[in-house]
Amino acid sequence: QVQLVESGGGLVQAGGSLTLSCTPSGRSLQYFSVMDWYFQAPGKQRELVATVSSGGSTTYADSVKGRFTVSRDNAKNMMYLQMNSLKPEDTGVYSCRATTPYRTFYWGQGTQVTVSS
């Protein structure tokens, strides 16, 4: 059974940086067609913030474009979200999602990011 394990969340000052990682347990990262990072602010709906395809193509939400970078490292079996110039409004839960070739999804448990003013 596939598990997505996230790490890297924590407390950070506004303007600081943080790197999140996500790795599938029991499956190669290369198996998944698309890997995504989702964000859910307190009291808000979960929203897509970054996507990386199996070919390395990336897309970003307007709110994070220019500040966040998503990447995947097949050799390390890891997906990353490099978060720079963090703002208090970036505070919330970040979750990774893996999409299989059969268009089914696996979700991580999420990792909390808190950005202080």
Side-chain angles (χ1 to χ4, degrees):
Q1 183 71 279
V2 174
Q3 286 185 288
L4 298 180
V5 181
E6 298 146 325
S7 63
L11 300 171
V12 65
Q13 300 279 356
S17 298
L18 204 60
T19 300
L20 308 182
S21 62
C22 173
T23 184
S25 179
R27 179 72 72 174
S28 172
L29 187 68
Q30 299 174 77
Y31 171 75
F32 301 102
S33 302
V34 179
M35 299 289 292
D36 305 299
W37 283 103
Y38 279 78
F39 168 67
Q40 187 170 27
K44 301 289 186 178
Q45 296 272 61
R46 186 187 294 163
E47 61 183 358
L48 179 66
V49 296
T51 295
V52 58
S53 73
S54 59
S57 298
T58 60
T59 57
Y60 300 92
D62 289 342
S63 60
V64 306
K65 196 169 187 177
R67 299 189 298 123
F68 292 7
T69 303
V70 64
S71 62
R72 58 196 296 169
D73 187 334
N74 291 334
K76 295 182 178 179
N77 214 42
M78 289 280 190
M79 178 181 66
Y80 303 101
L81 185 66
Q82 176 64 50
M83 310 164 70
N84 299 322
S85 302
L86 283 162
K87 306 172 181 178
E89 52 262 46
D90 296 320
T91 294
V93 176
Y94 290 80
S95 305
C96 63
R97 185 185 72 169
T99 303
T100 73
Y102 301 97
R103 307 292 187 181
T104 57
F105 306 115
Y106 291 96
W107 288 89
Q109 292 296 307
T111 185
Q112 175 72 36
V113 171
T114 302
V115 184
S116 62
S117 301

